[in-house]
Amino acid sequence: MALNGKELAKIVDATVINPDATVADMEYLIEKAKEYHFGVAVGLQCYNQMLIDALQGTGIKVLGAGGMSGVTPLDTKLYMAKACVEQGCGEIESFLNVSYLKSGMYDEIVKETRAIREIAKDQVYKVILETPLLNDEEIATACEVLIDGGVDFVKTGTGTLGATDIHTIEVMAKAVKGRVGMKASGGIRTIETVDAMMELGVTRFGIGLKSALKVLEAADNR
Amino acid sequence: MPINGKDLARIVDATNIKITATKADMERLIAEGIKHNFGMLVGLPCFGPMLIEGVKGYDIKVHGAAGLRDGGGDRWEVKVEQAKSKLAMGCGEIESRLNLGYLKSGLYDEIVHEVRAIKDVCPNNIYKVLLEVTQMTDEEIRIACELCMDGGADFVKSASGEYGPTTLHHVEVMSSAVKGRIGIKASGGIRSIQTVDQMMEIGATRFGIGLDSALKILEEADNR
């Protein structure tokens, strides 16, 4: 099922979130998002209003973050999720509390996930696992716990801790069994990777803007 | 006069913020904190209440993070909310991250506004701003320090360590910008008493050190 560039763009969350991203970087993200019609634009949260205003009426969603990290306390995750929903973000992502997972505090994770789910009831809600920090069993447990929590998607990672590989997607697909969506992100740079991951059931991709543009081009030229 | 382990512990924020750290690691942070009488403990924010409970009755503060995102790219309202929440919980000091994107975009007023807004909710607690000096030119470090002072921060903090260590040069630049008007917390890759001594010489009055390195350095302080 080889997607062309136009179809692929719809399932790519085009991302610019380097910690020193500037206003000019966001302007470029907006320009490219409009040109290629990505499904979602992901920028630094402090620039969200600018992104939402600029993409008004285009059908391109802006991502809101419910938490800066998995270890952000729950009350802050909820505050942020609420603020993002009110602002007009079309999708919400939060981070799995990896510390809780490794401490065996699964009930805490379910409780937290459901609470954020409740706030993001009309938005697509994804939780980031940061798979480079987890072994296969932990990935499977995390997926189970998050499905319990009511997520729409499990997402592999941000890429800051390492790239997502095919094996990780295999482990996730085996655990998820199609019950929720899988978003692959982190070090995805080629159409071959995208194709291989789609084969395994991935239906959404998080790709840095520069790489995303290259991948779209490759999609049209194969 | 070189500082001994006991006195040094009082100006060390002993830290374990690895996201893979477990509840057991936080228990160890508390235990070592009490044993060595560190001035402050910096643990995972989601274990804040546990840390605060654990050091009750001791003269040890627990750090409160107002924003965690690398580069400080969270919205200022969220940072303020976090500061409020951490204080209410019982955290003794607040730290936020400077918005690096804003700095590099020249949005200086926005930075001052943010720092001011956070300081306004913690008038009676020490508030430090983490710069990430390894991601800045010397000029940017100077500007960042000025903006933090303008905003009313009590300390500027050099780095998290995630993007490389703080060097002596970094502390020198911060020191010449700050001119003693606010405090300097040096952190990120500090692993020896020599580094601590040198940084104290040029004006650092607080240190952020990973727990294991901190224990080693306290011992070195007593054995030189």
Side-chain angles (χ1 to χ4, degrees):
Chain A
M1 182 196 169
L3 294 190
N4 64 29
K6 190 155 169 260
E7 293 161 335
L8 182 55
K10 293 204 189 112
I11 60 167
V12 169
D13 299 354
T15 304
V16 180
I17 52 166
N18 46 300
D20 56 352
T22 61
V23 170
D25 293 330
M26 294 301 109
E27 282 162 352
Y28 184 69
L29 173 62
I30 290 164
E31 185 194 319
K32 292 301 163 190
K34 284 182 174 168
E35 190 182 336
Y36 292 91
H37 219 272
F38 288 108
V40 180
V42 186
L44 283 187
Q45 292 300 292
C46 54
Y47 300 119
N48 266 6
Q49 199 58 59
M50 176 187 165
L51 292 165
I52 288 168
D53 291 343
L55 297 173
Q56 194 89 258
T58 61
I60 298 165
K61 294 190 224 168
V62 173
L63 184 89
M68 317 91 166
S69 140
V71 297
T72 301
L74 177 59
D75 59 352
T76 300
K77 288 182 177 177
L78 297 178
Y79 177 91
M80 287 176 73
K82 227 176 257 168
C84 290
V85 164
E86 278 163 17
Q87 221 180 8
C89 293
E91 304 206 350
I92 301 293
E93 280 181 17
S94 69
F95 287 83
L96 172 78
N97 190 320
V98 168
S99 175
Y100 281 2
L101 187 83
K102 289 184 185 261
S103 302
M105 296 163 64
Y106 307 137
D107 289 346
E108 290 298 325
I109 296 172
V110 173
K111 171 172 161 247
E112 203 174 91
T113 308
R114 287 192 185 156
I116 300 170
R117 169 83 268 183
E118 184 56 36
I119 289 170
K121 50 168 84 79
D122 300 323
Q123 285 73 28
V124 170
Y125 174 39
K126 317 184 202 90
V127 174
I128 306 164
L129 272 62
E130 286 301 11
T131 52
L133 299 177
L134 309 177
N135 61 36
D136 288 1
E137 194 183 333
E138 288 168 335
I139 292 172
T141 302
C143 288
E144 221 42 72
V145 171
L146 292 173
I147 289 171
D148 222 347
V151 302
D152 295 309
F153 276 81
V154 284
K155 169 180 164 178
T156 54
T158 54
T160 55
L161 301 172
T164 291
D165 57 17
I166 292 292
H167 175 74
T168 297
I169 302 296
E170 280 166 347
V171 172
M172 282 177 80
K174 191 152 164 247
V176 159
K177 305 197 226 308
R179 287 175 287 170
V180 297
M182 291 189 295
K183 171 176 171 179
S185 56
I188 293 167
R189 306 207 193 296
T190 68
I191 193 61
E192 289 78 24
T193 306
V194 168
D195 287 343
M197 291 183 172
M198 285 191 76
E199 262 316 290
L200 297 170
V202 170
T203 53
R204 191 76 80 83
F205 293 91
I207 310 182
L209 179 63
K210 269 202 207 83
S211 296
L213 297 176
K214 280 208 207 98
V215 171
L216 291 193
E217 205 185 314
D220 282 332
N221 292 323
R222 30 152 175 224
Chain B
M1 168 164 169
I3 196 167
N4 65 27
K6 186 160 169 268
D7 293 336
L8 179 55
R10 298 309 293 157
I11 59 167
V12 168
D13 300 352
T15 304
N16 187 352
I17 51 168
K18 299 197 192 77
I19 62 176
T20 52
T22 62
K23 191 165 176 217
D25 292 322
M26 294 300 111
E27 283 159 358
R28 178 172 172 248
L29 180 63
I30 292 166
E32 296 290 359
I34 290 170
K35 182 170 171 199
H36 297 277
N37 205 35
F38 286 108
M40 192 157 91
L41 300 183
V42 184
L44 294 179
C46 53
F47 290 109
M50 174 188 159
L51 290 161
I52 288 165
E53 188 59 37
V55 298
K56 219 176 223 164
Y58 295 94
D59 183 21
I60 299 170
K61 293 190 214 162
V62 172
H63 156 274
L68 286 180
R69 166 66 92 194
D70 284 6
D74 300 302
R75 296 165 65 195
W76 70 269
E77 297 96 329
V78 175
K79 294 180 186 180
V80 169
E81 180 274 347
Q82 277 223 277
K84 270 193 217 155
S85 162
K86 298 299 166 64
L87 290 176
M89 189 194 290
C91 291
E93 300 196 356
I94 299 296
E95 280 180 19
S96 72
R97 294 181 183 227
L98 183 88
N99 191 319
L100 217 52
Y102 281 4
L103 186 78
K104 294 195 186 253
S105 302
L107 298 173
Y108 301 150
D109 289 345
E110 278 78 355
I111 292 175
V112 175
H113 166 259
E114 184 178 287
V115 172
R116 172 60 51 198
I118 297 169
K119 184 64 203 173
D120 279 350
V121 303
C122 52
N124 304 315
N125 298 75
I126 286 175
Y127 167 41
K128 315 185 203 89
V129 180
L130 163 58
L131 306 185
E132 282 306 1
V133 294
T134 59
Q135 305 299 96
M136 296 180 182
T137 63
D138 286 1
E139 185 56 23
E140 286 169 339
I141 295 173
R142 276 186 273 271
I143 292 170
C145 288
E146 285 298 333
L147 297 176
C148 290
M149 284 187 283
D150 261 351
D154 300 298
F155 272 79
V156 280
K157 169 181 168 180
S158 60
S160 62
E162 290 161 73
Y163 297 94
T166 292
T167 64
L168 223 51
H169 177 72
H170 289 134
V171 180
E172 269 163 358
V173 175
M174 288 170 79
S175 198
S176 70
V178 154
K179 303 197 223 312
R181 286 173 284 174
I182 62 174
I184 296 173
K185 170 176 171 177
S187 57
I190 294 168
R191 305 211 192 296
S192 73
I193 192 61
Q194 286 75 30
T195 306
V196 168
D197 286 341
Q198 287 167 332
M199 291 182 172
M200 283 189 78
E201 255 323 282
I202 52 177
T205 51
R206 190 78 80 83
F207 292 90
I209 310 179
L211 178 65
D212 290 330
S213 295
L215 297 175
K216 178 172 136 310
I217 289 172
L218 290 193
E219 211 184 303
E220 287 172 2
D222 283 332
N223 291 321
R224 33 168 168 196

